[in-house]
Amino acid sequence: MKTAGRNDPCHCGSGLKYKKCHLALDREQGGVVAPKQVERAPQPRSRRGMLVLSERERDRMRAAGKFNAQLMDEIRGMAVPGTKLDDINSFVDAYTRDHGHIPACVGYKGYPKALCTSLNEVICHGIPDAYVLKEGDIVNLDITSIVDGWHGDQSETFLIGEVSDTARKLVQCAFDSLHLAIAAIKPFSTVREIGAAIVKRAAEDGFSVVRDFQGHGIGRKFHQEPGIPHYPDSFHGGFVLKPGICFTIEPMINEGRPHSKIDRSDGWTARTIDGKLSAQFEHTLLMTEDGPEILTQTEHGPRPGHRF
Ligand code: MF3
Ligand code: CO
Ligand code: CO
C-alpha cells in the first residue's frame, strides 16, 4: 500500500494534489486512512459467494424493494412544512415493524434511528431529531428495509414548499443523473459507465459529484461488493455488472465543492465543507438478462422525465 505524499493526487479522487485538497482537512480531523491501493476491482464470485442471484433470490430482492417503495409512498406526504423529522422516524419504524419487517438502519454500525434525514447542506446520514421542516428546505429521506432477510434501499430528495431556483435545479440534476446512469447500463456493462453518466449530467449544470460516499452491492447484506462510485474510477470501475447482480445507485450532487466533513458530535452527519446544498436520489437495482430492473420503483413517486 502506497501512502500519498503532498504532491501526489488526493485520495478522494478529485484529481487535485493532496496538499491542495484534503491535506488540511485530514490534519484538522487528526488524520484519515487513505483507501487501499489495489490493482483492480474484485469480480463477482461463484454462486456460493452470493453476488449473482438465482431466480428465487431475485424474487426475494423484488419483494424487499417493493415493500421499501411502498413505505416511501407512505412518507412522501410528510415532506411538507411543519413536519418534525422525529415523527417521520417514528412512522417508518412502526410501519415497518407492523408489516413484520425490520428497519435496517436501527443499530447498523451503531446508527440510532430508522432512516436518514439529510437536510439542505447535509450530504447523507443526517439523523432525525426534533427539527421541524420549513418552507425553502430540501430534505433527503433514505429508507432501508429488511424483508425476510433481504434488503431494499432507496431515497428521494423533497422540496419543502417553495424553494430557491438553485435548490430546485440541484434536485433535478440529482434525479436526472440517477436515471441517466440507469439508462446507460446493460448486462455486462462495467461500473465505470454509471459514474461517467452522472459526472456528465452534473457538469452540464456546473455542480459537483460527491466522491467520499458511493453506492453498493446489496442483498442479504446492507452493503457489499461491488462499490458503485458515482464517478468513473479505476478501482471499482472495471467491475462487470452480470445478470443477477443487485446494487444501488445513489448519486449525491453538490452545489459547490464535492468534499464532505462528518459532524464530530454524532459521527454520522456528513455535510458539505462549504455549507452549500447537496441533493441525492437512490434506487436498488437488479441487473437482468434484459437490462437493469428498478426494484424500488414507487407507485406514486417521480418517474424518469419528471420535472421538479
Ligand atoms: N441508506 C444508506 C445507504 O444508502 C445507508 C445508511 S446507513 C445508516 O447506503 F446507518 F446511516 F443508516
Ligand atoms: Co439508502
Ligand atoms: Co444505499
Side-chain angles (χ1 to χ4, degrees):
M1 193 178 105
K2 188 173 166 295
T3 311
R6 292 171 54 84
N7 289 312
D8 287 336
C10 185
H11 59 69
C12 77
S14 63
L16 298 173
K17 287 184 177 175
Y18 179 55
K19 67 181 178 190
K20 291 270 182 209
C21 192
H22 266 73
L23 175 63
L25 198 65
D26 289 352
R27 281 192 177 145
E28 184 190 309
Q29 292 180 340
V32 295
V33 181
K36 273 191 229 160
Q37 303 286 318
V38 190
E39 294 289 305
R40 62 184 172 79
Q43 292 298 316
R45 293 189 304 259
S46 66
R47 283 278 316 114
R48 286 171 62 82
M50 299 210 302
L51 285 192
V52 176
L53 302 187
S54 66
E55 279 306 325
R56 184 180 300 185
E57 290 168 331
R58 295 180 190 194
D59 282 343
R60 309 291 292 276
M61 280 300 290
R62 288 187 175 104
K66 189 174 178 190
F67 172 76
N68 205 65
Q70 179 187 326
L71 172 55
M72 184 60 87
D73 276 335
E74 293 288 334
I75 62 175
R76 191 170 288 104
M78 298 181 83
V80 292
T83 299
K84 190 190 290 184
L85 295 179
D86 261 337
D87 291 343
I88 305 177
N89 178 65
S90 308
F91 179 86
V92 167
D93 197 275
Y95 185 92
T96 306
R97 295 182 199 280
D98 286 351
H99 286 76
H101 308 311
I102 298 169
C105 294
V106 178
Y108 179 79
K109 297 188 175 173
Y111 188 80
K113 298 284 175 96
L115 83 161
C116 298
T117 53
S118 301
L119 193 69
N120 298 325
E121 81 286 1
V122 178
I123 295 170
C124 62
H125 302 164
I127 303 175
D129 60 11
Y131 182 87
V132 176
L133 292 173
K134 63 175 199 311
E135 180 102 8
D137 284 339
I138 60 170
V139 68
N140 176 275
L141 303 180
D142 190 341
I143 51 176
T144 310
S145 308
I146 311 176
V147 175
D148 299 329
W150 297 80
H151 290 75
D153 183 12
Q154 75 196 106
S155 80
E156 289 178 21
T157 298
F158 297 92
L159 311 180
I160 307 304
E162 277 303 310
V163 304
S164 69
D165 289 347
T166 303
R168 186 180 300 272
K169 194 172 163 191
L170 185 70
V171 169
Q172 185 74 54
C173 182
F175 180 79
D176 291 350
S177 74
L178 168 59
H179 286 286
L180 285 165
I182 296 171
I185 52 173
K186 51 186 194 297
F188 303 100
S189 287
T190 58
V191 161
R192 187 177 294 110
E193 293 162 59
I194 294 171
I198 292 165
V199 165
K200 181 164 177 279
R201 177 63 184 84
E204 283 170 19
D205 283 339
F207 295 138
S208 69
V209 177
V210 171
R211 293 165 177 257
D212 297 344
F213 301 92
Q214 52 188 33
H216 49 92
I218 182 167
R220 286 186 180 279
K221 287 172 74 176
F222 194 162
H223 296 111
Q224 63 187 24
E225 295 166 27
I228 310 283
H230 302 110
Y231 57 98
D233 105 315
S234 54
F235 175 38
H236 297 94
F239 189 99
V240 176
L241 297 168
K242 291 184 182 174
I245 299 258
C246 272
F247 56 98
T248 72
I249 306 180
E250 45 185 300
M252 288 143 276
I253 307 297
N254 287 0
E255 177 191 354
R257 299 177 68 196
H259 312 85
S260 65
K261 64 166 187 260
I262 295 181
D263 281 6
R264 270 175 223 263
S265 56
D266 61 26
W268 282 101
T269 309
R271 291 176 202 274
T272 58
I273 52 166
D274 55 13
K276 293 189 178 177
L277 296 173
S278 185
Q280 179 181 27
F281 286 82
E282 174 178 26
H283 272 309
T284 297
L285 300 141
L286 165 69
M287 182 55 79
T288 75
E289 286 70 11
D290 299 326
E293 179 179 332
I294 303 178
L295 302 185
T296 44
Q297 184 62 63
T298 65
E299 296 267 335
H300 305 296
R303 303 257 163 175
H306 179 85
R307 301 297 303 169
F308 288 87

